[in-house]
Amino acid sequence: MRRTLEGDPDPTGLARRGGVHRLADAPRIGCGVDRPWRSTLAAPDDPAPTHRRFLPGHGLTLSRGLTHWPLRRALLAVPALAALALVAGFARFLVLTTTAPADPARPTDGIAVLTGGAERVETGLRLLRDGQARLLLVSGTHPGVTLSDVAHLAAMQPEDLAGRVRLGHEATTTRGNAAEIAAWARAERLGSLRIVTAGYHMPRALLELHRVLPDVALLPHPLLPATLRQAEAATRLRTWSLLGREYLKYLAVWAGLVAPAPPPADGKT
């Protein structure tokens, strides 16, 4: 009768030979590997691979990679998919920044200009002069800017703008622009607005405005700044740095990491 190391009978037929337990008359397991499986009780002179795992109740081991490989692939796929989503989103963002003005011949109740460049104010004044709207708000103007200064940009007389153009001096951020525009639109009871700002700024501006003016039709009128119209603009690092920063700000607003603009007050700015 075979006996174990302690001298007890071996009812299972598992005998120790050469530091390895062999399973007598047991079917061989493994994808065509013609050798018996080893238990976890390998002798010191028979080093066992460190990547094997014990199967409870069977005294057998299996390769750890067989069970961990799908998990590893899933963990590697998460950052890859996240990076792919960021790249795809940035490509979509670039398309939005170069989109032509929406329905440029359609009149609206008002025009809202988000300051940041002289071309924006000039464009808003030109649209007002051409009869595209009856009211205009220039949001985020410097406190020292007057109506005469604004009229000079469009070669118009200040009296031509009186009662039609309002200068907002409170906003210092895009969120502030949205609050200022919303308060003005509510006070004037405007049902549609044409939004004038730079193309790269338009996605974030519209996102902020839609949140505070969900019942107002917003028509984007993006502009391509002169620095981005230059032939060598696409080869400049500062161009991509500008677009990248604006894209990240847009994502932050979209994800709710930036608090939305406060609800508009019922009163003139």
Side-chain angles (χ1 to χ4, degrees):
M1 176 181 297
R2 298 176 180 174
R3 305 181 68 83
T4 60
L5 293 176
E6 294 80 8
D8 295 332
D10 183 20
T12 62
L14 187 65
R16 182 176 179 80
R17 299 176 182 175
V20 178
H21 289 286
R22 300 183 181 276
L23 186 60
D25 301 325
R28 299 184 184 277
I29 305 175
C31 302
V33 180
D34 189 16
R35 65 178 182 180
W37 287 79
R38 299 186 178 190
S39 75
T40 56
L41 300 176
D45 58 345
D46 186 19
T50 58
H51 65 279
R52 296 185 178 277
R53 185 171 60 88
F54 177 71
L55 290 182
H58 296 280
L60 304 177
T61 58
L62 289 176
S63 173
R64 183 179 300 172
L66 294 178
T67 56
H68 285 209
W69 176 240
L71 178 59
R72 291 176 182 174
R73 287 198 302 179
L75 292 177
L76 290 175
V78 170
L81 291 175
L84 182 61
L86 283 175
V87 172
F90 185 62
R92 174 60 178 166
F93 174 79
L94 291 179
V95 172
L96 293 176
T97 61
T98 57
T99 302
D103 201 359
R106 174 184 169 183
T108 56
D109 294 336
I111 301 169
V113 176
L114 285 74
T115 56
E119 288 181 286
R120 304 182 191 182
V121 179
E122 291 175 356
T123 299
L125 291 172
R126 176 179 54 80
L127 292 171
L128 182 71
R129 184 185 58 199
D130 293 344
Q132 294 296 99
R134 59 185 179 87
L135 295 175
L136 168 67
L137 170 69
V138 183
S139 175
T141 57
H142 189 274
V145 174
T146 64
L147 196 59
S148 298
D149 298 326
V150 173
H152 179 72
L153 292 175
M156 300 175 66
Q157 297 299 320
E159 53 269 20
D160 296 334
L161 304 181
R164 303 184 64 193
V165 176
R166 178 171 294 276
L167 304 181
H169 298 292
E170 300 298 327
T172 57
T173 63
T174 302
R175 178 190 175 192
N177 289 139
E180 194 168 61
I181 293 170
W184 172 71
R186 298 284 189 188
E188 298 292 347
R189 302 184 183 277
L190 306 179
S192 59
L193 288 175
R194 184 171 293 277
I195 308 301
V196 180
T197 188
Y200 63 82
H201 185 224
M202 185 63 74
R204 183 159 60 102
L206 287 179
L207 190 57
E208 294 277 20
L209 285 166
H210 275 300
R211 290 180 175 179
V212 293
L213 288 174
D215 54 342
V216 175
L218 303 177
L219 276 69
H221 198 99
L223 304 176
L224 188 62
T227 55
L228 297 184
R229 292 198 299 265
Q230 298 174 359
E232 64 275 13
T235 63
R236 293 175 180 168
L237 179 59
R238 62 183 179 182
T239 298
W240 296 104
S241 177
L242 170 65
L243 295 174
R245 289 196 308 270
E246 188 59 37
Y247 175 57
L248 293 178
K249 291 178 183 179
Y250 168 74
L251 289 181
V253 175
W254 176 81
L257 301 179
V258 178
D266 291 331
K268 294 187 179 182
T269 56

